Amino acid sequence: MTDALPHPGPSGLAALLRHAVGDPDTAWSLGSFGAVAEFMRDPGETVRLGERDADGAVLLETRTARGGLRIRLDPALRPFAFETAAGTGWSQSVALCLPAGACAMAGRRVVTELGPDSDAIDPKDREAILFDLGLDLPQTDACVRSADPRVIERIRAGAGLPMFDPDSPLRDAWPALSPERIFVCRFGRIEVSQPIPPPDGRSPEGPHTHVLPRLLAARRTHAATAPIPEGWTPCAHLFPPHPLKDLMGRPIPFDDARHAAFQTLLERWGDPSLTALKRDIRGRLERGEPPAAESGLDRFQRMTVRATLRQVAAMGAPAPRLAEWSARFDRPDPDPDAAPSGH
């Protein structure tokens, strides 16, 4: 149902996005299942924040030396907040969704030269040459950009072939070339200026990209663990500050304010049935009720229960029978999206 997500109204959407763009503790991603660009910045990092009107639309922008982000307040855009049980903890994010029929991008299948990147966030980059990688993603054009004549010549040599074609001269050349990566959706883009690590290397801290051929082969728009309502496609995500870890995933003492802030987002822009389930589980834990022998919970309901139990444990909230509940419900489902890291 395409009416499953409530309209936040222009002011509600603008407030959410303005706060997130201006917050150095919020991370972002843009892409599709198997190919994603991520943007984040350090609190003390030199940054240029901007907001400007173009064709009647408000553009929110931020650019550092390592990467950039642009989000346009598209009236069709809907935020959807959700949590998943991840590892021994939980993740939290807000998906920025478009109707499934309104998110399609160019769908190119071979490396294709597009000309100067006239939409670059920084004006100095608008003469650099943009190339579509030809990944044929449902909601994203995954591109690279360079102003270096040597790099441009090398990429042109692989134009007209799929990125992963065994005969492509680009197949193993990307780490050495390390062009900027530009991932674009209908309402925004993420630019990554950091080098591409070798296949056995690690992604750098800060903005980076991942391209995983095995996941791309699934031809999905998002992970199976994300409870995106039917009829909607997540084109980008914002990740508000987590109560148990910093932007780099390092553990921090539990932060009540961060936790409460995301619970407010869940109540406003989450799935009402899942937020009601969370409230019910919390109430039963506080009352010291034993775990129910419930059956028939779907995947997303089970994840909600697990995330709630882990949050109660992290908060140290009164829950005398928490161990019983965890033994009953905190058994993770197999992860169909598990894959080794890659770039």
Side-chain angles (χ1 to χ4, degrees):
M1 294 290 291
T2 55
D3 60 354
L5 294 182
H7 196 301
S11 61
L13 179 60
L16 171 70
L17 297 180
R18 283 193 179 103
H19 174 79
V21 169
D23 180 12
D25 291 320
T26 294
W28 298 77
S29 72
L30 188 153
S32 189
F33 187 66
V36 65
E38 300 183 35
F39 175 80
M40 58 204 74
R41 60 186 175 92
D42 296 335
E45 189 171 13
T46 300
V47 62
R48 189 187 74 249
L49 293 169
E51 180 175 324
R52 61 189 178 90
D53 291 330
D55 299 326
V58 175
L59 297 181
L60 304 174
E61 297 178 333
T62 178
R63 191 72 168 84
T64 72
R66 298 186 295 167
L69 167 76
R70 172 187 290 151
I71 296 291
R72 178 170 58 88
L73 273 66
D74 189 319
L77 190 159
R78 299 288 188 277
F80 178 69
F82 65 96
E83 297 172 325
T84 62
T88 59
W90 71 94
S91 66
Q92 57 186 42
S93 62
V94 179
L96 303 179
C97 303
L98 288 177
C103 68
M105 297 297 286
R108 300 180 183 92
R109 298 185 178 184
V110 296
V111 175
T112 305
E113 183 172 345
L114 303 179
D117 185 12
S118 58
D119 289 330
I121 296 173
D122 192 326
K124 71 177 178 59
D125 295 322
R126 293 175 187 168
E127 296 302 317
I129 302 302
L130 193 68
F131 294 86
D132 191 314
L133 293 176
L135 298 182
D136 188 22
L137 303 174
Q139 72 270 50
T140 311
D141 286 344
C143 303
V144 296
R145 180 180 72 198
S146 182
D148 184 332
R150 180 188 64 87
V151 173
I152 293 170
E153 181 180 2
R154 290 283 303 279
I155 299 176
R156 281 174 174 163
L161 291 173
M163 180 180 177
F164 301 114
D165 191 302
D167 295 327
S168 172
L170 296 172
R171 182 176 175 86
D172 301 314
W174 296 110
L177 297 176
S178 277
E180 292 185 295
R181 278 81 72 211
I182 315 297
F183 279 41
V184 183
C185 72
R186 286 287 183 184
F187 55 79
R189 64 164 50 198
I190 283 179
E191 303 182 355
V192 175
S193 301
Q194 300 204 97
I196 300 173
D200 58 350
R202 296 184 61 183
S203 296
E205 292 189 356
H208 59 273
T209 51
H210 295 282
V211 177
L212 300 170
R214 188 177 74 81
L215 299 188
L216 288 170
R219 300 294 303 162
R220 298 225 311 264
T221 60
H222 58 278
T225 52
I228 305 298
E230 184 178 355
W232 293 86
T233 298
C235 301
H237 292 77
L238 64 92
F239 303 93
H242 196 281
L244 274 182
K245 55 189 176 183
D246 68 12
L247 201 58
M248 293 295 106
R250 296 177 291 247
I252 61 173
F254 185 82
D255 190 316
D256 290 286
R258 287 183 169 193
H259 180 64
F262 192 76
Q263 299 312 299
T264 298
L265 292 179
L266 274 182
E267 291 286 345
R268 183 169 186 183
W269 286 313
D271 183 316
S273 67
L274 296 181
T275 53
L277 177 60
K278 285 197 72 171
R279 290 192 297 270
D280 178 60
I281 297 298
R282 285 288 305 273
R284 291 157 72 176
L285 286 166
E286 291 169 2
R287 293 190 295 271
E289 297 180 11
E294 291 160 307
S295 61
L297 296 180
D298 66 25
R299 178 189 187 94
F300 304 128
Q301 291 168 330
R302 292 194 301 272
M303 281 201 304
T304 296
V305 174
R306 287 199 296 273
T308 303
L309 296 177
R310 296 172 187 184
Q311 290 165 8
V312 169
M315 295 170 67
R321 308 187 79 156
L322 177 60
E324 296 175 51
W325 279 82
S326 296
R328 169 71 178 83
F329 287 104
D330 203 356
R331 297 192 298 272
D333 296 324
D335 184 359
D337 302 329
S341 62
H343 311 286

